[in-house]
Amino acid sequence: MPGILIALFLVAGSVLAWVAWQAEKKRRAAFELWAGQNDFTYSRQNDPEVRARYGFLDRLQAGHSRRGYHVLHGAWSGRAAAAFQFRYVTGAGKNQQTHYVAVAVLHLEKSFPEFVLSPENIFHRFGGLFGFDDIDFESVEFSQAFQVRSQDKKFAYDFCNTGMMEFLLQHRDTCLEQENGVLALFRDGALKPDGLDGMF
């Protein structure tokens, strides 16, 4: 009986591995199709250049064992753009966790003041008690939904105009960061081919 159970586990593991492999092949094909339709290049390999080029972004400094792969490069609305899957690890041993973030980057015509926007959470609220700078807006709903940080409050207010606040309140999982002439959008989870249009 133990031998039969071991064999069944091995077969089940092989089937799951095959299904995962087929799903990954389908995902790569979808990325290649999107890249061809939008005049982008695509590489599925881990690309150290991506992390070197955009490593100044706060979100890409999280954890350790960082990797950028499923990388797409091209132009969007006449500006240089990129999208990639970012992976990093926190903790070690039994407490180790792997995190995945979908990233889209747009190069701007010039550098603007550093700006970071992320969904509000309990840690941000505790941070406010200790003087962490969180810019508040006239919209109480928006201020409660997002943490906004920038050394230039006027720029933050101009960026988060009425239309932008309405859009962000409809997409509450959005994280934005602007620095060194780059605007980056982050969403937790896998980079999906059918979600690329909505990230640029």
Side-chain angles (χ1 to χ4, degrees), residues 117 142 158-169 176:
L117 176 147
F142 182 80
D158 289 343
F159 187 96
C160 296
N161 55 43
T162 302
M164 179 60 77
M165 285 193 287
E166 290 176 354
F167 172 82
L168 289 168
L169 285 171
L176 294 173

Side-chain angles (χ1 to χ4, degrees), residues 85-125:
Q85 178 76 71
F86 179 65
R87 191 210 78 168
Y88 65 95
V89 178
T90 56
K94 294 181 180 179
N95 297 319
Q96 181 171 297
Q97 275 191 306
T98 302
H99 307 264
Y100 298 91
V101 182
V103 185
V105 175
L106 193 66
H107 289 254
L108 307 177
E109 68 274 13
K110 64 177 183 178
S111 184
F112 294 96
E114 184 178 358
F115 170 90
V116 178
L117 176 147
S118 58
E120 186 77 67
N121 61 41
I122 189 74
F123 299 107
H124 294 152
R125 296 190 183 102

Side-chain angles (χ1 to χ4, degrees), residues 38-183:
N38 292 277
D39 203 22
F40 273 58
T41 61
Y42 167 67
S43 172
R44 66 181 177 84
Q45 303 290 346
N46 175 38
D47 187 351
E49 184 181 334
V50 167
R51 289 176 289 123
R53 189 173 189 182
Y54 301 117
F56 60 85
L57 295 167
D58 292 353
R59 189 69 190 275
L60 301 188
Q61 296 174 24
H64 58 87
S65 304
R66 307 179 189 105
R67 292 185 179 182
Y69 55 99
H70 287 312
V71 182
L72 298 115
H73 284 291
W76 195 266
S77 298
R79 302 184 190 282
F84 55 94
Q85 178 76 71
F86 179 65
R87 191 210 78 168
Y88 65 95
V89 178
T90 56
K94 294 181 180 179
N95 297 319
Q96 181 171 297
Q97 275 191 306
T98 302
H99 307 264
Y100 298 91
V101 182
V103 185
V105 175
L106 193 66
H107 289 254
L108 307 177
E109 68 274 13
K110 64 177 183 178
S111 184
F112 294 96
E114 184 178 358
F115 170 90
V116 178
L117 176 147
S118 58
E120 186 77 67
N121 61 41
I122 189 74
F123 299 107
H124 294 152
R125 296 190 183 102
F126 278 123
L129 297 175
F130 297 98
F132 284 63
D133 188 22
D134 180 10
I135 299 172
D136 288 322
F137 294 80
E138 289 186 8
S139 169
V140 175
E141 183 183 9
F142 182 80
S143 294
Q144 291 177 342
F146 292 96
Q147 182 197 57
V148 177
R149 293 186 290 112
S150 178
Q151 292 184 344
D152 189 329
K153 287 190 176 182
K154 183 181 183 304
F155 175 79
Y157 291 136
D158 289 343
F159 187 96
C160 296
N161 55 43
T162 302
M164 179 60 77
M165 285 193 287
E166 290 176 354
F167 172 82
L168 289 168
L169 285 171
Q170 294 174 8
H171 300 82
R172 295 182 182 232
D173 62 338
T174 299
C175 295
L176 294 173
E177 188 173 343
Q178 195 288 131
E179 187 177 355
N180 292 347
V182 165
L183 178 63

